Amino acid sequence: MSETAEARIKRLKMRSMRRGIKEMDIILSAYADAHLEQMNEAEISLYDDLLNENDQDLYAWVTGQIAPPEHFRALLSDIALTFQK
């Protein structure tokens, strides 16, 4: 059975706020709340893929400690900007 767009967004928001380290809970849940509902299918799929990465890598990428993989670069830049607002 296929997941509805509404159910997928709800699942991604939940995954965004229940990470493993509190910093990523805060960063990703703020981003998800602000952006997921306006994203297209490709952007949502990329965000879903990003959530499969481990928190230590995500935190290092978002904070600029380590350069992120190319396919996540624009998304992570947007996440960092959203969190800084």
Side-chain angles (χ1 to χ4, degrees):
M1 183 174 203
S2 181
E3 184 177 40
T4 66
E6 183 179 294
R8 186 175 191 192
I9 288 171
K10 185 175 180 179
R11 176 179 58 81
L12 292 175
K13 284 184 177 184
M14 184 62 72
R15 286 184 62 205
S16 296
M17 61 194 250
R18 302 218 190 267
R19 296 296 308 165
I21 62 173
K22 190 64 174 173
E23 293 86 346
M24 291 313 303
D25 293 351
I26 294 166
I27 292 168
L28 293 176
S29 63
Y31 182 80
D33 288 341
H35 295 279
L36 276 180
E37 301 203 14
Q38 292 81 35
M39 294 169 93
N40 65 39
E41 182 62 32
E43 293 166 331
I44 290 173
S45 291
L46 182 63
Y47 186 76
D48 199 355
D49 290 344
L50 181 74
L51 293 181
N52 290 322
E53 300 294 330
N54 77 54
D55 281 350
Q56 289 75 23
D57 289 340
L58 287 172
Y59 187 75
W61 297 337
V62 167
T63 59
Q65 296 172 11
I66 299 173
E70 182 63 36
H71 64 284
F72 290 137
R73 196 160 287 157
L75 176 58
L76 287 163
S77 177
D78 195 34
I79 290 169
L81 288 174
T82 299
F83 184 68
Q84 293 172 2
K85 291 180 184 174

